[in-house]
């Protein structure tokens, strides 16, 4: 039963973590920033993201820092929590409506 529940959660996260969905939630993000956020939320390191997107690690770090400036997140862990909807948002920042989760 636990395995089946985890699989349902994984499938739901795949729907939530698309760059397109993230841009809907955070319209100030660029297309590349939403791609980076999607990969960060999946637990990828800066090096893994850089390899996946064919950019330098420094470029990924720049995108991650831009994410922190545009989201209510102070660090990588909090950006993941906001992305997954498990952090308590500050006023003025979007969350995932319950019907979409």
């Amino acid at each position: 039963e636990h395995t089946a529940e985890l699989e349902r959660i994984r499938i739901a996260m795949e729907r939530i973590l698309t760059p397109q969905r993230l841009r809907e939630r955070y319209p100030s993000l660029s297309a590349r920033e939403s791609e980076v956020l999607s990969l960060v939320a999946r637990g990828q390191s800066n090096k893994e993201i850089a390899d996946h997107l064919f950019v330098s690690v420094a470029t990924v770090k720049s995108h991650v820092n831009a994410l922190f400036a545009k989201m209510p997140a102070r660090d990588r862990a909090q950006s993941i929590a906001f992305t997954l909807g498990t952090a308590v948002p500050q006023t003025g920042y979007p969350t995932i409506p319950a019907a979409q989760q």
Side-chain angles (χ1 to χ4, degrees):
E1 183 175 312
H2 182 69
T3 303
E5 185 176 353
L6 288 175
E7 181 62 13
R8 284 191 300 274
I9 291 169
R10 187 195 64 74
I11 290 168
M13 289 295 107
E14 287 301 316
R15 286 193 316 267
I16 292 168
L17 295 178
T18 66
Q20 296 81 6
R21 292 285 297 272
L22 293 173
R23 285 197 72 199
E24 289 171 12
R25 288 182 55 210
Y26 301 103
S28 65
L29 297 182
S30 70
R32 182 61 90 178
E33 289 165 350
S34 65
E35 287 179 283
V36 170
L37 179 58
S38 176
L39 296 169
V40 165
R42 288 177 168 82
Q44 291 195 4
S45 69
N46 288 347
K47 170 95 171 78
E48 291 167 331
I49 294 169
D51 291 346
H52 182 83
L53 298 177
F54 303 103
V55 298
S56 71
V57 172
T59 299
V60 172
K61 288 180 181 180
S62 293
H63 289 310
V64 170
N65 286 328
L67 292 172
F68 296 158
K70 294 179 179 181
M71 294 178 67
R74 65 181 173 268
D75 57 31
R76 196 176 191 99
Q78 196 175 48
S79 71
I80 293 169
F82 276 108
T83 301
L84 298 178
T86 58
V88 178
Q90 298 170 343
T91 304
Y93 291 98
T95 60
I96 303 170
Q100 294 179 5
Q101 291 186 8

